[in-house]
Amino acid sequence: MTLLRKITFNKFDEEVHYTRLKNGLDIFIIPKTGFKEKTAMLTVDFGSVDKKFTLRNRLWDNPEGIAHFLEHKLFEDVDGEDVSLKFTQLGADVNAFTTFDKTSYYFSTSENFIESLTLLQELVMSASFTEESVNKEKKIIAQEIDMYADDADYQAYIGILQNLFSGTSLADDIAGSKESINQITTKILKRNYNYFYKPNNMNLLIVGDVDIEETYSAIETYQKKFRARKQVERIDDVIYNPVVKSNSKSMEIMNSKLVVGFRGQKVSNNLSLLTIKIALRLAMSMLFGWTSKTYQTWYEQGKIDDSFDIEIEINNNFSFVLISLDTNQPIGMSSEIRKKIKNCNSSDDFNQEHFAILKREMYGDFLQSLDNVEQIASQFNLFLTNQDTYYDIPDILESIQLDEVLTIAEDFFKQAEESDFTVFPK
């Protein structure tokens, strides 16, 4: 028998099996009976903001883009071959991504699951770095950087982060710059790989119609060769420097792209990060969502279109809300958005009926996601913290009240610092 603990969620008939191996690897298995597709995601607690750390009283300061560079490099095995081809031979699709605080490697398949699962662990937990392969990868990543330099939406996004978090790693492109990736050497890659790519700094998530005993046994057998290693002390470089109030650039586009950003204070209350994020999502949906009077009015007036979007990031070390849109009135719309948020407590859209509709909509989206194995994995990974999981959303939605949402939103925006970034047509 395994040592996994079963956590049952009776409200929506789901369960999660969890354990931590002796080497520190956290394992989550979410069985989905009757689903043909299976997926696994191995996540390393190492992202673009993890540039500085100390070990044995020595400070290390990495070039920008180190986490993303490692993500790319791990897909090349010791023979210089592309590991993704091995997944293809097994009938699996494999990919990876790097965010501010993590790097995730994942595959999906309907066959050869255990073999693919072993291969995923081999991909992440064994690495080979040569000068030749590293220099080759620099050229590939440089092309990726050039591609994003021509993407107006991405330039607006990175522009607002540079306004809000100037002088910190959040203002850096996750891929780094051409200058920073040229500073990356095999020695730097090996150092960061050895310090961060260890089982006690990872979690493995599996979703699908899998044999839990067989899956656990396969993981445990493979992981016996790895031990927990000493954790480094990370240095938080997300210092709250003065915000750049407004900035812009010009590109070859038809219509202006505006992002209005709000930098929240670092979380210091007793609420969970997920509760704060849900409260802000509900508040922003009441104020600017498609069911709001504001959205309908702006849409009918041609001030916004389907590009209108809201991003909410709540982290222990930083938080922000970004409102982005294509508009031919960037200055006016920036002003209107700020006014709406400043006077949110007097908005007609903040009422019990609207609140109930949005909670049902969010709960419906949650239930719908349970029918998609890849979406479950993605969302579970996204919302996983020391306090909550994705499956805690229904309980939070059930208990949260309108006055609590309004209090959280008012507290966030009262302390927030504002900025905007616009990409203008040339």
Side-chain angles (χ1 to χ4, degrees):
M1 290 293 291
T2 70
L3 298 176
L4 279 85
R5 176 169 61 94
K6 183 170 76 170
I7 307 166
T8 303
F9 300 87
N10 294 319
K11 290 180 182 177
F12 42 94
D13 194 26
E14 294 282 324
E15 60 188 42
V16 177
H17 297 254
Y18 166 77
T19 194
R20 175 174 290 171
L21 296 182
K22 290 181 179 179
N23 65 12
L25 177 69
D26 286 323
I27 301 173
F28 299 87
I29 300 177
I30 302 177
K32 298 293 293 182
T33 304
F35 283 67
K36 187 176 181 180
E37 185 182 20
K38 305 174 182 69
T39 189
M41 180 177 288
L42 185 52
T43 296
V44 186
D45 184 14
F46 180 53
S48 65
V49 300
D50 298 309
K51 286 174 54 182
K52 297 180 181 180
F53 62 90
T54 60
L55 184 67
R56 299 184 185 91
N57 297 318
R58 182 170 182 178
L59 172 66
W60 299 101
D61 190 354
N62 291 306
E64 301 163 27
I66 186 69
H68 176 261
F69 203 114
L70 274 173
E71 175 213 316
H72 271 242
K73 199 67 196 66
L74 261 59
F75 278 88
E76 185 176 327
D77 65 18
V78 292
D79 298 318
E81 300 295 325
D82 185 351
V83 180
S84 61
L85 296 177
K86 296 180 181 178
F87 281 93
T88 301
Q89 291 167 0
L90 291 171
D93 293 321
V94 67
N95 213 330
F97 61 87
T98 303
T99 66
F100 296 130
D101 57 358
K102 66 184 68 172
T103 307
S104 296
Y105 303 81
Y106 61 97
F107 73 86
S108 61
T109 188
S110 57
E111 55 184 334
N112 301 315
F113 176 73
I114 296 298
E115 294 88 343
S116 298
L117 179 59
T118 300
L119 184 57
L120 180 70
Q121 293 173 87
E122 289 177 356
L123 182 154
V124 177
M125 305 191 75
S126 60
S128 174
F129 308 107
T130 65
E131 290 292 344
E132 181 182 1
S133 66
V134 169
N135 289 331
K136 177 183 174 183
E137 202 63 49
K138 288 179 181 179
K139 295 177 182 177
I140 296 172
I141 296 176
Q143 291 174 347
E144 184 178 335
I145 292 170
D146 284 338
M147 179 183 70
Y148 282 113
D150 293 330
D151 185 326
D153 287 304
Y154 186 76
Q155 290 304 305
Y157 176 75
I158 196 69
I160 193 65
L161 290 181
Q162 288 170 348
N163 280 4
L164 295 174
F165 297 98
S166 61
T168 76
S169 54
L170 282 175
D172 300 332
D173 191 317
I174 286 176
S177 64
K178 289 184 179 180
E179 294 75 17
S180 69
I181 63 172
N182 279 329
Q183 298 171 21
I184 295 175
T185 63
T186 56
K187 187 175 181 179
I188 292 174
L189 287 169
K190 288 178 181 178
R191 178 192 308 137
N192 282 272
Y193 180 81
N194 290 333
Y195 288 168
F196 289 100
Y197 277 66
K198 50 196 173 188
N200 50 316
N201 199 45
M202 299 180 182
N203 70 73
L204 176 57
L205 168 65
I206 293 150
V207 186
D209 192 353
V210 300
D211 183 312
I212 295 174
E213 295 289 335
E214 178 189 26
T215 302
Y216 173 82
S217 178
I219 297 169
E220 185 182 41
T221 298
Y222 183 83
Q223 289 292 326
K224 281 181 178 178
K225 67 182 81 171
F226 301 100
R227 295 182 178 181
R229 301 200 303 274
K230 182 178 177 63
Q231 296 280 28
V232 302
E233 183 178 346
R234 306 176 201 227
I235 297 177
D236 176 19
D237 85 330
V238 185
I239 301 166
Y240 274 32
N241 295 319
V243 163
V244 178
K245 294 298 184 182
S246 185
N247 212 338
S248 65
K249 70 184 305 181
S250 298
M251 297 182 68
E252 295 289 350
I253 54 175
M254 296 294 292
N255 207 6
S256 295
K257 295 183 180 293
L258 168 70
V259 187
V260 182
F262 301 85
R263 185 179 76 180
Q265 296 299 308
K266 298 189 179 185
V267 177
S268 59
N269 56 39
N270 294 324
L271 291 175
S272 73
L273 301 182
L274 184 54
T275 298
I276 296 171
K277 190 166 188 175
I278 288 176
L280 287 174
R281 173 59 63 188
L282 288 167
M284 291 295 95
S285 295
M286 281 190 283
L287 201 56
F288 297 117
W290 69 274
T291 58
S292 70
K293 294 176 183 177
T294 295
Y295 183 95
Q296 296 298 328
T297 300
W298 285 352
Y299 194 88
E300 290 169 4
Q301 293 174 347
K303 292 182 176 181
I304 62 172
D305 57 20
D306 293 340
S307 66
F308 191 88
D309 189 47
I310 299 171
E311 178 178 344
I312 299 169
E313 183 75 37
I314 305 297
N315 192 289
N316 280 317
N317 297 324
F318 57 88
S319 61
F320 58 80
V321 173
L322 307 180
I323 301 174
S324 58
L325 60 150
D326 292 356
T327 177
N328 57 11
Q329 306 173 41
I331 297 174
M333 285 306 298
S334 176
S335 177
E336 286 201 48
I337 289 169
R338 295 171 193 238
K339 286 178 182 177
K340 288 289 183 182
I341 287 180
K342 185 177 181 180
N343 301 315
C344 66
N345 58 353
S346 61
S347 171
D348 292 339
D349 278 315
F350 275 82
N351 59 70
Q352 288 292 347
E353 182 180 2
H354 194 194
F355 181 60
I357 290 171
L358 289 172
K359 285 212 295 183
R360 286 196 297 270
E361 180 182 41
M362 189 177 288
Y363 185 67
D365 290 341
F366 170 83
L367 290 179
Q368 190 174 26
S369 74
L370 300 182
D371 290 331
N372 187 311
V373 165
E374 288 189 3
Q375 191 171 359
I376 292 173
S378 173
Q379 295 300 302
F380 199 91
N381 178 61
L382 176 65
F383 288 101
L384 184 61
T385 69
N386 291 329
Q387 301 164 300
D388 305 291
T389 74
Y390 181 57
Y391 280 6
D392 290 314
I393 288 179
D395 284 339
I396 295 174
L397 285 174
E398 182 178 345
S399 63
I400 200 164
Q401 300 298 315
L402 178 59
D403 57 351
E404 184 180 5
V405 167
L406 187 56
T407 297
I408 291 172
E410 286 183 325
D411 184 57
F412 179 90
F413 288 107
K414 188 184 298 181
Q415 301 180 67
E417 295 182 83
E418 307 168 10
S419 176
D420 62 47
F421 189 92
T422 309
V423 179
F424 290 106
K426 280 187 176 180

